[in-house]
Amino acid sequence: MSDERPGVGIIMGSKSDWPTLKAAAEVLDALRVPYETRVVSAHRTPKRLYDYATSARERGLKVIIAGAGGAAHLPGMTASMTELPVLGVPIESRALKGLDSLLSIAQMPAGVPVGTLAIGAAGAANAGLLAAQILALSDHALATRVMAWRAAQTDGVAEAPEDNA
């Protein structure tokens, strides 16, 4: 995204999760928040996950967005290996439409929190915005951009319906 060191990591269990998680990247792009993206499967690449999660803070990350479908272990496993905030995005699955992913991410044991967002692209977009808001706690310029972004969202809502017929 930029030459600036990324503060947000976006990870996914499979490259097929990218179309959903791209919504998080688009929000971060709009807010000019540097991020990195990686495919890190909890089941197929456990060493890659371990290396990613345990080195995240020293590499400058402050928040991790982890999207996963089906059994959806990636957000929880990531949270178990880093003290950084992890935001879990359930990816819609074919069999259960993402409900399986949502429950897998939300049902973490006490002491290993994962902030769980909505299923699909809306959850990914909100994960991007939430990550930016977390970073904005210590970045006044970003806080100003977040406030402007939210104001633009509000301004974009019509006061009355229009009949386009």
Side-chain angles (χ1 to χ4, degrees), residues 135-149:
L135 296 177
L137 292 171
S138 60
D139 182 336
H140 181 71
L142 177 55
T144 300
R145 293 193 304 273
V146 168
M147 288 186 289
W149 190 90

Side-chain angles (χ1 to χ4, degrees), residues 2-162:
S2 77
D3 292 337
E4 201 174 333
R5 193 172 187 188
V8 178
I10 301 175
I11 59 175
M12 60 214 78
S14 169
K15 66 181 182 179
S16 65
D17 298 339
W18 177 242
T20 299
L21 291 169
K22 190 173 182 182
E26 290 168 349
V27 170
L28 294 170
D29 285 338
L31 294 168
R32 299 191 320 269
V33 174
Y35 59 90
E36 64 182 28
T37 57
R38 300 285 186 281
V39 176
V40 182
S41 171
H43 301 113
R44 293 180 302 272
T45 63
K47 183 175 181 333
R48 186 184 304 170
L49 169 57
Y50 175 83
D51 292 344
Y52 186 89
T54 59
S55 70
R57 181 186 282 278
E58 72 185 38
R59 291 183 298 106
L61 295 183
K62 294 179 176 64
V63 181
I64 298 172
I65 297 170
H73 290 125
L74 182 61
M77 289 299 297
T78 302
S80 76
M81 291 184 264
T82 183
E83 66 283 359
L84 297 177
V86 176
L87 307 176
V89 177
I91 304 296
E92 187 173 331
S93 59
R94 277 178 262 149
L96 297 174
K97 303 294 182 204
L99 186 57
D100 50 344
S101 309
L102 174 66
L103 294 174
S104 292
I105 296 169
Q107 288 300 115
M108 290 300 296
V112 187
V114 173
T116 308
L117 285 296
I119 298 167
N126 281 340
L129 182 57
L130 189 53
Q133 289 174 307
I134 291 168
L135 296 177
L137 292 171
S138 60
D139 182 336
H140 181 71
L142 177 55
T144 300
R145 293 193 304 273
V146 168
M147 288 186 289
W149 190 90
R150 290 178 59 114
Q153 295 293 301
T154 299
D155 293 345
V157 177
E159 289 191 36
E162 291 182 22

